[in-house]
Amino acid sequence: MKLKILLIIICILLTACSAGSDAEYSYDFFAMDTFMSINAFGGSAEEGVKAAARRINELEGLLSVTDENSDIYAVNHLGASSVSSETAKLVSFALEIADKTNGALDPTIYPVLNAWGFTADNKRVPSDGEIAKLLENVGFGRVTVNGNSVTLGEGMMLDTGAVAKGYAGDETVRILREHGVSSALVNLGGNVQLIGTKPDGGDWRLGLKDPTGAGNIGVLTVSDCAVVTSGNYERCFTAEDGTVYGHIIDPANGCPVDNGLLSATVVAAEGKLCDALSTALFVMGEKGATDFWRENKNFDVILITDNAEVLITKGIADKFTLDEVHKNFIVKVVE
Ligand code: AMP
Ligand code: MG
C-alpha cells in the first residue's frame, strides 16, 4: 500500500516537472489601445502570462489619459495630485529623458496632440495660430514631481503614451521571470520584449516593419532584449491636400514629425528606455538621432529614411538582414 502511494507521488511529481519545463502559454488581448500578445515557455507559463496581463490592465488604470479614475487623469484635471509611487517614478523618468533629449520627448505635448485630433477620432489640421497658442501650455520643465505628488503649470496636461508600453513590457518580463519563464516573446503593440532565446536555443527572428507598405523590410535576429519602434505611419491620417500626418508631434513646432525619417527602432535591455528613445529619436531626425547615439551608446538604433536608407548602429549591424524584395534599400552602419 505504502509502495503504491509512493509510486503515485513520484508519478505526480514527474508529471508536474515535465509540465513545468515544457509549459507553453500564449495569450492575445487588447489593452492600452493596442493589440498585445504574450508567448511564454517554461516554468508556470500560464499563471505568469495571466498575472502579467492583469498587471498591464492595472498600469493602464493608473496611466490612462481618458480613464476618470487614473492617476494621470487626476493630475490633468486638478493641476496637481498625489499619485501612486510608480506613476510618479514613470513621470520622473519621462521628464529625465525629455531633459536628455532637449525636449524631443515631451510628456506635456498632449494639448497639441488633442488639437490634431489624435486623442479622439476627429483628425484635423489646426491653424498655425491655434498651434502657437497651445504650445504655450507645453514644456516638460514646468512639471514638478515631489515624492508622490505631481504638479503641472497652468493649462498643461500630461501623457505617458510614449513610455507606458515600454514600462508595461518591463513589468511583463519581470513577472514572467518570477514565474520561472525562461523564454518569451512579448509583443505589446509593436513594443517587443524577449526573455532568453527561442525554446530551441536559437535567437528570435523579428520582422522589422516596412514603413512604406505591408510586410517587413528585414529581419533582426536577437535575444533577451527589448526592441521598440516609433513611426508616423501607423496612427496617421491623410489631409484634403494629400499630406499624411502622424501621431508623433515635434514639440519644437507642434506639428507631426516630418523630417525624412520613416521609423526609429531602439534595441536595449530595458523596454521603457527603448520606448522613450524611439519616440525621441524619431522626433530628432537622422542627424540628431545619430549624434545622440554617439554621445550615449547605451542602446542601438535602426533608422529608416524616406530616401531608402537603413541606418544601423554597429552593435546590431550583424544582426540585421535586409529582405530580398527590399534590396533597393541601402544599409549603412553608423559608427
Ligand atoms: P510611441 O508610439 O511610443 O512613439 O509614442 C507615441 C505617443 O506618444 C503618441 O501617440 C502620443 O500619445 C505621445 N506623443 C506624441 N508625440 C510625442 C512627443 N514628442 N513626446 C512625448 N510623447 C509624444
Ligand atoms: Mg515610445
Side-chain angles (χ1 to χ4, degrees):
M1 183 64 186
K2 269 187 185 161
L3 184 71
K4 228 176 169 182
I5 291 175
L6 191 67
L7 280 175
I8 290 171
I9 291 174
I10 290 173
C11 275
I12 291 172
L13 283 176
L14 284 176
T15 324
C17 285
S18 74
S21 58
D22 295 331
E24 171 182 355
Y25 193 74
S26 299
Y27 185 50
D28 296 335
F29 55 107
F30 190 82
M32 296 184 162
D33 213 16
T34 188
F35 288 100
M36 303 188 161
S37 69
I38 305 176
N39 296 323
F41 303 84
S44 307
E46 179 172 351
E47 270 176 45
V49 170
K50 287 181 176 166
R54 281 196 299 275
R55 179 82 183 112
I56 292 172
N57 285 320
E58 197 178 289
L59 287 174
E60 182 172 14
L62 293 177
L63 302 171
S64 162
V65 203
T66 47
D67 180 343
E68 293 184 10
N69 298 312
S70 84
D71 279 350
I72 297 295
Y73 190 93
V75 174
N76 284 346
H77 289 81
L78 303 171
S81 177
S82 167
V83 296
S84 67
S85 64
E86 68 179 340
T87 301
K89 276 191 205 144
L90 190 64
V91 170
S92 296
F93 172 75
L95 296 173
E96 182 198 321
I97 301 292
D99 189 40
K100 279 196 179 136
T101 61
N102 270 325
L105 182 84
D106 194 325
T108 68
I109 197 68
Y110 192 79
V112 178
L113 197 76
N114 199 22
W116 284 90
F118 284 107
T119 55
D121 213 8
N122 53 351
K123 317 264 194 319
R124 57 187 273 273
V125 181
S127 71
D128 291 351
E130 190 180 350
I131 293 173
K133 188 98 199 80
L134 288 170
L135 279 175
E136 289 173 11
N137 295 332
V138 174
F140 66 92
R142 282 177 284 139
V143 181
T144 324
V145 181
N146 196 345
N148 287 350
S149 128
V150 180
T151 308
L152 302 180
E154 182 71 28
M156 295 179 77
M157 288 185 95
L158 261 187
D159 165 27
T160 57
V163 291
K165 278 192 282 165
Y167 179 59
D170 292 332
E171 283 294 281
T172 300
V173 165
R174 180 183 65 76
I175 291 167
L176 293 178
R177 283 194 202 278
E178 270 174 19
H179 284 80
V181 167
S182 51
S183 165
L185 172 66
V186 176
N187 187 344
L188 309 186
N191 282 40
V192 176
Q193 295 197 221
L194 307 167
I195 295 181
T197 60
K198 287 192 293 178
D200 69 6
D203 280 334
W204 299 94
R205 290 169 52 80
L206 303 182
L208 195 69
K209 255 189 160 177
D210 175 4
T212 62
N216 296 325
I217 199 155
V219 173
L220 197 58
T221 315
V222 284
S223 58
D224 224 7
C225 63
V227 181
V228 177
T229 299
S230 287
N232 257 347
Y233 57 93
E234 254 169 358
R235 295 186 185 195
C236 58
F237 71 98
T238 307
E240 274 171 18
D241 66 358
T243 311
V244 178
Y245 295 106
H247 69 131
I248 301 175
I249 307 287
D250 184 346
N253 61 14
C255 293
V257 167
D258 178 21
N259 58 16
L261 283 189
L262 300 179
S263 69
T265 299
V266 175
V267 182
E270 195 192 36
K272 85 179 172 190
L273 180 73
C274 290
D275 201 355
L277 289 183
S278 67
T279 310
L281 299 183
F282 183 69
V283 171
M284 286 177 186
E286 179 181 332
K287 171 140 187 7
T290 48
D291 284 352
F292 186 85
W293 175 76
R294 287 190 186 96
E295 283 155 24
N296 293 277
K297 295 203 174 158
N298 56 339
F299 62 93
D300 277 293
V301 61
I302 306 173
L303 304 171
I304 302 180
T305 72
D306 62 4
N307 59 351
E309 287 185 350
V310 179
L311 307 166
I312 184 163
T313 52
K314 62 178 178 192
I316 50 168
D318 61 348
K319 299 182 192 315
F320 177 74
T321 315
L322 194 66
D323 197 277
E324 278 300 322
V325 296
H326 285 102
K327 289 290 183 206
N328 57 318
F329 275 80
I330 298 170
V331 180
K332 288 187 176 169
V333 178
V334 180
E335 312 232 9

